Structure formats: structure tokens, C-alpha cells
Amino acid sequence: MQKAVLVVEDEALIRFVAVDVLEDDGHVVYEAGSVLEAVGILSSRKIDVVFTDVDMPGGLTGVDLAKLVADVYPEIGILVTSGRYHAGPDVLPAGASFLPKPYDLGLLSSHVRELMPRGASCRAGRSS
């Protein structure tokens, strides 16, 4: 069964490359350009891993999103990235991983695979 990844990145070119790599890996990929857009997708789709940048427009950061995901959807894997900050375990929720920018695309793929839930799909989609 295909697993779903939500890529949250405000830089369109970076988001496009990440989405392309993850789709080539066989994942269903949803994309969001802001944390608010990501929250809407999370409430209406079955997501297995969230991959988010720290710097996001609109007042909410990728770290805010990671904390929300950990609290509301604890079964979802979380991968955070940034070129400016190192979000370590003192900042990220338990179980979240950090991938510094610029990242190797193969490393992105392996981090996402490691965060995928094992076995059957972990959560049914929700309707809005």
C-alpha cells in the first residue's frame, strides 16, 4: 500500500524537487506552502509523514507544525528541515527527526522511509 507524505515548504522550487523525489520513491505526496494550508490537508487526508521547513510564512513555523502533529496525530512521522537553524531534540517533539539544508535527495528519501509506519495504514482519512 502506498504511503502518504505531506511536504510543507514555502519555496516552490525546493518543494517541487522534494515532491518529485518522494513521488519517484512511490509515495503519494501532498504539498503545502504554509502551515495553515498543511493543517487543512492533515484534517482531510491520511498522512504518514510530514516533511516541513522551519521558516514558513504566516506567523507559524515548521516547529509549531511539528508540535501540533505530535500532539494531535502522534502516529505521523515528522521530519523537519532548515538551512538557518538546527532544530535539535530540545526544540522538536519526541520522535521527530531533523535534516539540515542543503540536503542530499537520497538522504531525504531514507529519512522519510525510516519515519514511515510499519504494516497497515495507520489512520483513515477524515472528511472536512
Side-chain angles (χ1 to χ4, degrees):
M1 176 174 211
Q2 286 184 316
K3 302 290 184 169
V5 180
L6 173 57
V7 175
V8 187
E9 170 65 63
D10 63 321
E11 296 290 334
L13 183 57
I14 296 171
R15 186 174 64 240
F16 173 79
V17 171
V19 167
D20 192 48
V21 165
L22 294 170
E23 285 179 339
D24 284 350
D25 286 346
H27 304 297
V28 173
V29 182
Y30 299 96
E31 19 182 329
S34 71
V35 171
L36 291 178
E37 187 178 353
V39 169
I41 293 169
L42 283 164
S43 69
S44 64
R45 303 275 187 248
K46 184 231 161 289
I47 302 296
D48 296 293
V49 173
V50 170
F51 174 49
T52 183
D53 188 19
V54 170
D55 287 325
M56 297 301 295
L60 295 173
T61 69
V63 173
D64 295 327
L65 177 61
K67 290 176 180 176
L68 175 111
V69 169
D71 288 345
V72 178
Y73 308 103
E75 70 280 2
I76 295 177
I78 303 166
L79 180 59
V80 177
T81 189
S82 179
R84 293 188 213 194
Y85 309 101
H86 179 76
D90 56 324
V91 174
L92 295 178
S97 295
F98 182 76
L99 180 63
K101 284 181 179 179
Y103 48 81
D104 175 88
L105 298 175
L107 199 52
L108 169 61
S109 293
S110 67
H111 273 286
V112 168
R113 274 193 306 274
E114 288 172 13
L115 290 166
M116 283 292 171
R118 306 289 183 240
S121 186
C122 62
R123 181 170 72 87
R126 295 194 205 181
S127 55
S128 339

